[in-house]
Amino acid sequence: MDTDRITRYLSRATSLLHNRLDLKQRCEWLILLAYAKLYSLGRIGQDRWIPLRDTRDVASWFHESKPDFEEIEIFIKEADEACTLTEDRTFVQTLLSILPDDKDLLEDIVLKMPVSSRGTLPEGTPPSLAALAIRLLDLKENDSLADFGTGTGSFLVEAAHGSHCESFYGNDIDTHAVGIAKLRMDLLKVDGMIEQIDMFTAKQRYDKVFSNYPFLKSNRTFREEKLRLLGIERATPPFQSSDWLFNWLLATSIAPQGKAVGIMTNGSGWNSGDEHIRRYFIEQGWIEAVISLPEKLFPYTNIAASLIVFSRENRSVRMVDASKVFEKGRRLNTFGPEDIDRIVQLCKQDGKASVAVSPERLAYADFNLIPSRYLEQDIIIPNGIELQRAALSITRGAGIGASELEKRHSLHPTAFRYLMLQNITEGKVDEDLPFLKDVEPPLLKYCARNGDLVVSKIGPNFKAAVVEANEQEQVLCTGNLYIIRIDTEQFDPRYVQIHFESERGQEQLNRICVGTAMRSISIKDLKQVLIPYRSLEEQRSLVEQHQALRKSIERHRQAINAIREEMKGLLEGEGSYPKLV
């Protein structure tokens, strides 16, 4: 069934029902009644129809025909209770009136209609992404397939259409979703089981497992509860993201020769709080591949995500960058059949967008699981020295918000100033930095002094400048800046600034920049940036040349500004305009 036809059914239901059901309920009832109609037409069971006039009739019919579908009975009861309040149960007849008699169309409604509060936008896994995951799982005829957090079973429906697995299993905690998933499995006539349980209580192992688990912010209570259910309260390394709870479940729920695919946020692949758990997974040989996904795949989130593939005894991790492999849509991007073929092929061999990474190389990169980290060409820095060896100290700026700075602001000159990112323009710190009333002793460590180099931590266009201040002044730097005190016996701070502003320097900083909405550099990665070593005499010569070029730019800017002013005044001469009376 195409999206337009689904939209027409939903539109008709909306226009006829007005405000009697919300959009999600309309979808559920259309599926429920389409299933009942298929039953009456002999597609599912015997050709026997009980007249369905209202919600109570539907409840009686399901109780008699499908006594194992407790979840369906629950949400029918909920609808009936809502109808009691409005004394209007006629929506059942209304929906039945718009459903077709064609068995194939009714089957499409049951199997493919999205159950969503967003109309035709599905809440679950996008179909093309589900198709990719199924290809990566490489389903075989005798496989058992599980979908943890199955929702309405759309992934299992997709898998059942394209494979001959021996059995299908799904679980979810949502009553309505489990009811719809049961209807769908029943209609497909496969060996399928759907349970309403917390996925962390599932104990059986499967040949293939999939999960589009929720992107949650982990908290202590949630983490402890799930670790207890997994039986590993004390056995797991520390971690920050809830993704690794779900990943643990997937990696330990597969048979010895099995495979699992999960959808993970990119942040879990690089943040320092998850480094130990990433290391553990890699040392166990559990991670087979990580595949970076394109943006705009999901209708319900803009969070950057990757597919992570689990199996046993892996001696390397296949890193695949599929972020540019997609069919562009008006609102959402998708994978076409050729895109899926290409990604599957990338998972088998090295190339520009795919590489097998050894545990040793992963360890050197803090077990970072972002594919682009390993697919970029090396930046050659002649005689490169790590920044941490060229600096006496590298510190973050103070985490002080704008409102707090406003309270501390002084209208009169003091011995304290503050420096924000916007105070750096074209490699120079503004001369008229704002004053502060004072700086408490705990904040002094966030102050820069004359000759210190400051570098922005937010990408992609990084700023750098050398602070010029008198000996009596303290310059408090804000949190989006790093303060670097250069060892002047080795390097001129102005030379290091020139490197950071150069094409190679900017490329270095961008490669260590991580994040989604706001990409930033960690202090650990910044310390490892390479600075090309030259003698101090060569450095100072380059600084003089750089300063001369900067002065030339300023002279030309002043000349351009003067020409612009002259252009503005061309018609201001005598006689050019009539005099104003």
Side-chain angles (χ1 to χ4, degrees), residues 244 264-272 274-280 282 287 289-290 292 306 308 317-320 355 357-376 510-515 519-520 522 524-525 528:
W244 290 101
M264 178 179 73
T265 61
N266 283 357
S268 302
W270 60 261
N271 67 52
S272 58
D274 291 324
E275 179 182 339
H276 293 292
I277 194 76
R278 293 195 300 267
R279 175 177 182 170
Y280 182 84
I282 290 164
I287 303 178
V290 179
S292 292
S306 297
I308 183 165
V317 177
R318 171 66 58 182
M319 295 289 183
V320 177
V355 64
V357 183
S358 67
E360 293 77 19
R361 189 178 176 190
L362 288 161
Y364 181 78
D366 301 326
F367 302 95
N368 189 304
L369 294 179
I370 303 300
S372 60
R373 182 72 177 260
Y374 306 94
L375 290 166
E376 296 160 331
N510 271 292
R511 288 199 183 181
I512 60 173
C513 197
V514 293
R519 303 180 69 239
S520 62
S522 72
K524 183 177 181 179
D525 286 335
Q528 297 175 4

Side-chain angles (χ1 to χ4, degrees), residues 557-577:
R557 182 182 290 110
Q558 292 174 2
I560 290 170
N561 289 338
I563 293 170
R564 284 176 175 161
E565 290 299 317
E566 186 176 347
M567 291 168 67
K568 291 178 184 178
L570 279 177
L571 297 179
E572 298 293 340
E574 187 174 349
S576 297
Y577 283 121

Side-chain angles (χ1 to χ4, degrees), residues 445-492:
K445 62 183 178 181
Y446 303 117
C447 290
R449 69 187 188 193
N450 185 55
D452 284 348
L453 177 65
V454 289
V455 177
S456 60
K457 64 182 294 186
I458 308 297
N461 300 312
F462 293 93
K463 294 183 177 182
V466 175
V467 174
E468 296 178 7
N470 60 51
E471 295 300 324
Q472 289 74 39
E473 285 184 332
Q474 298 276 10
V475 181
L476 181 68
C477 297
T478 54
N480 50 12
L481 292 170
Y482 284 117
I483 308 159
I484 305 170
R485 190 152 295 160
I486 296 295
D487 180 359
T488 53
E489 293 186 3
Q490 296 186 78
F491 286 93
D492 187 315

Side-chain angles (χ1 to χ4, degrees), residues 122-160:
E123 296 281 356
T125 309
S128 68
L129 183 55
L132 172 60
I134 289 166
R135 284 285 302 278
L136 293 171
L137 286 170
D138 190 24
L139 301 176
K140 305 296 185 184
E141 186 171 347
N142 296 320
D143 280 345
S144 55
L145 172 65
D147 180 12
F148 291 166
T150 191
T152 58
S154 57
F155 178 83
L156 293 176
V157 170
E158 185 78 22

